[in-house]
Structures are given as C-alpha cells and as structure tokens.
Amino acid sequence: MGKVKIDPLVFWSSLVVIVVATLSLVIFRKSAEPVMNKMMTGITYNLDWVFQFLTFGVFILLVWLVFSKYGKVRLGDEAPEFSTFSWGAMLFCAGMGTSIMFWSMMEPMYYYMGPPFGIEPNSTQSAEWAVAYGMFHWGISAWSLYALPTVTIAYSFFVKKNRSLKISTACKGVLGKYADGPIGKLIDILVIWSLVGGLGTSLGLGVPMVSAVIGEIFGVQQSLQLSIIIIVIWTIIYSASAYMGLYKGIRKLSDWNVYLALGLALFVLITGPTLFILSNFSNSFGLMLQNFALMSFSTDPIAKGGFPQAWTVFYWAWFAATAPFIGLFVARISRGRTIRELIVHILLWGSLGSWIYFGIFGGYTLNLQLTGALNVVDVLNNSGGPSTIVEILKTMPLDFLVLPFFAVLAFIFLATSLDSATYILSAIATKELIGDQEPARWHRMLWGAILAVLAISLLMIGGLKVIQTSSVIVSVPVILLYVLLTLSLLRWLKQDYPDTSLVYKTAMDEELVQESKAKE
C-alpha cells in the first residue's frame, strides 16, 4: 500500500507552536503564570454553565444515539480487530493513566476538608460526600466527553473512508473542503497542543508520585535527578511499545495494565476494611445517582463557595481538552463495532473502572482518616499529595511488596497513555492511513523523544504547572469542536442512512461480519 508520509505543514507548524509557546511560557513564567491563572479562573467562573450544559447535553445525545435507529450502524465492514477485553483495556488505560491512581486516594480527602453545598468540613456529612463526588467526576459525564468525538472520528475513518485520522477530517461533514485548508490545519495544531498540555498534567502528577514511592523503597531522597531517571525509563517503555505498534505493543501493555490494576484493587479490598469499603461504595454510588442532576448543574451562584468551579468545571474543561486525543485513539481501535456498542462500552468500561478505583482506594483512605489509623488530612496539608500516597501505602499489609507493585503499575499506567499519545500525535501529522496502515515507526519514536525532552525541560525549570493551565484554557475553542463534530456526525448519518436503506444496510453489514468471522 506504499509508505505513509507525514503532513509537513501540520508536523512543522505543531512543532514550532509547541516549542515557541513552551519557551515563552517558561521564560516569562513569573509574568505569565498570574495571567494564565486569571484566565483559567475567568473560564471556570464565567463559563461554568457552558461546560455543564455541554457535558450533560453530550450525555443526552449519546443516549439518543444508542436507542435510535442509528445505533445499529456498523463502523466498517470487517469484524472487530480486538477482543472486547483488549479493546476495553486500551480505551480505559488511554483515558485514565496515573491520574486515577493519584486522585482515587487524594480527591476524597480534599472533599472531606472542603465539601460542597456549604457542608461543614471534616464532618460526618462531608465524609459521606467524599467518595461520591469523586465517582461523579470520573464517571459517565467524563466518559461522555470522550465518547462523542470517538463516534464521529470512527464514522469518518471507517464509514466515510476518509484516509486521515484527524479531528479536522472528522469535521468534514460541516466544513466540507475547508477541512483540508487553513481552518483544518489550525484545528489539528490546536488538538496537538491540547494533547501535549494534557500529557503535561499526567506527568505533573505521575512523576512526583512515582518518585516518592521509589524514594521510599530505596531509601533515597526525591531529587531532580531521580525524576529525570524516571522519565527516561518511562520513555524507553512507551517508545518500545509505540515502536512495536498498535497490535503487538499497545494492546499487550494495556492488557497487563488492567490485570495489575485489578490485582492491586482486589488486594486492598480483601486485606483492607472490606465491609466498610463495600458499604461506603454502595452508599456513595446511591448518593451520586440520587443527586446526579444537582451535581451536573450546580454553580453555587448565591453562596459563591467556588466548589463547582474549582472541581467540576475544571474537570469538564480538562477532559474536554484531552477528549480529541482519546477520541482519535479509541476510534482507531474500534473498527467493526456498532455505534451502540461503541458508546455503551466506552461509558460502561470507563465509568466502571473509575468507580471501582474510587470505591476501593477512596474508601480505604477515608477509613484511615475516620478510624484514626492515619491522619491523612494532616499528612496531606504538611507534606503534599505524593508523600501522602506513600504513607497510605505503608499502612497496607505486606507494604514492602505493595510499594514496588504500585510503582510498577504507575509506570505501566502512564506508559499506556503516553504510547497511545505518541501513536495519535504521529497519526495527526500523517497525510493518510489506508486500511491497517500505522504511522511510520521513526515518526512515533520522534514524538516520544519530543515528549521526553519537553517533560525533562519543564521539570528542570519548573514550568509544568503553566503548561497544565494552558491545556485547560485550550478547552474553550474545543467547545466549538464539539459543535462541529456533532453537526458533522448527524449530517452524515442523515445523508447515508435514510429510513428506506438503514434496515437493508444493517443486514448487509451483519452478513459481512459473519462471513469474516467464519473465514477466521
């Protein structure tokens, strides 16, 4: 099928934007940081209602697609490329990374200290909401923001046979020829920047956490050198996985990741306060379901406590900024699935994994605080999140095994996100991909090296937080992308599947899939 070629305009423009923007933000960090923080505060407080209506509206649209006649539409004529387990493992690992490991323990404590709805801090009522709000933030709403771009991109790639794995191409249903022009290039560059910023957030959480755990294991102090060594090891892991490609590398790494993650969760559940964890999970899950609408739309305009803006709106903005990347990757691995199957599995796989982690690790941490086994709040206030993670892990049975196991899992968790990211970065900057073609290996490795150098540079000069903030600011134009992706998908569906042809086409798709399975 010939060699894949890079898109020089997207590749070099993205590279220049990343380097110039990063250097500018870092060189002028002292003056840029307050401006960026002010912009982010303005976004979360003035556009809170926009992000909330966007997130809930996307969820309603997805539910409609699942139960509509379009739910049966198959994305491609072939049978699915991956088993359901491997497929679900890859989409979950790409979406969560090390963030879920950190926040599943820390987030409930922040809610315990600073609860919503004017509840008294450090009270029984704040303890009840602690895990519930974490499950809400990392549940169906978050995965809805990931699911919509996925469906449109998958439809563009597998049904419309557009040979480019780009957000701009997925907007062709609305933009038409303009998707291939300057507007389309601008969209792709914006997506690459939001992806790099999102990875900065993951590295900003992951590196200090793993550094603290490894420092505890080997009895060494946290240092810049240790963090750089960790980034280099990460780079070797995810670059090797990305080099082997989607089928041999990323799929296997994601499978191992899920096995290890479930193993650790089961260990904590069995050896920890099992009955409390299960009981608190049930209570938190019920509280979340009962108050789902309130939590989705709360802006606290009277008391102005700031909880919805600092947490819910920030999360929706962060997830929206990284959603194009998740959508591109999950769309690429979803050939042969129906629209209904794709949406349901994204929402259920993603939400279930998040709920399990928050229920078990959040419940365990909350129990330490409530029983007095460890004053998590004091450790968090005095020593910060990474050190608190270490102290929590040290309270577990067989902690001398738990600590290295946790470190290995964190390595693999972030590696699965990063190798997915290098794959997608190279795909966006590639002209076209036909059939099972993948981006060139040197191209994948190059983006892996760029991310590593960027991470080490930012770590050395302390500019990681500014990049994280900028990724959230990028989410504002991403709102427009959601509109374009939605209109593009609906226009394509209406054009391609009028009432008279949908039943016949669906039957033909089923026959082709059955024939493909029989040949295998």
Side-chain angles (χ1 to χ4, degrees), residues 7-119:
D7 185 327
L9 183 58
V10 173
F11 176 79
W12 290 111
S13 299
S14 301
L15 207 54
V16 169
V17 167
I18 289 170
V19 172
V20 171
T22 302
L23 286 175
S24 301
L25 289 172
V26 169
I27 292 170
F28 304 105
R29 184 161 58 92
K30 288 187 178 179
S31 56
E33 198 162 355
V35 174
M36 300 284 279
N37 288 335
K38 188 176 180 180
M39 286 176 67
M40 192 170 77
T41 303
I43 290 168
T44 54
Y45 277 85
N46 297 322
L47 298 179
D48 48 7
W49 59 277
V50 176
F51 282 102
Q52 289 180 337
F53 273 101
L54 169 71
T55 306
F56 198 83
V58 165
F59 171 65
I60 295 299
L61 176 64
L62 292 169
V63 171
W64 174 77
L65 282 171
V66 166
F67 292 102
S68 74
K69 62 182 182 180
Y70 301 119
K72 296 178 182 179
V73 173
R74 190 167 296 279
L75 302 166
D77 298 329
E78 303 89 345
E81 295 177 274
F82 305 98
S83 68
T84 301
F85 179 81
S86 292
W87 178 49
M90 284 191 285
L91 73 87
F92 178 74
C93 293
M96 291 294 101
T98 50
S99 301
I100 192 75
M101 297 179 69
F102 181 87
W103 287 115
S104 61
M105 287 188 257
M106 292 297 94
E107 197 167 321
M109 287 298 97
Y110 282 108
Y111 300 153
Y112 178 69
M113 293 186 290
F117 310 128
I119 296 169

Side-chain angles (χ1 to χ4, degrees), residues 310-331:
W311 289 102
T312 307
V313 179
F314 172 81
Y315 269 136
W316 293 173
W318 180 29
F319 290 140
T322 54
F325 147 59
I326 304 299
L328 286 162
F329 179 72
V330 177

Side-chain angles (χ1 to χ4, degrees), residues 1 50 57 79 102 145 168 199 224 228 237 245 252 289 295 309 316 353 357 382 403 406 440 447 474 486 510 515:
M1 291 185 290
V50 176
F102 181 87
L145 289 170
S168 59
L199 290 173
L224 178 62
I228 291 174
I237 294 172
K252 288 184 178 180
L289 289 181
M295 296 158 88
Q309 291 78 16
W316 293 173
Y357 249 62
N382 296 325
L403 283 164
F406 185 89
W447 277 111
V474 167
T486 300
E510 291 296 336
E515 286 177 13

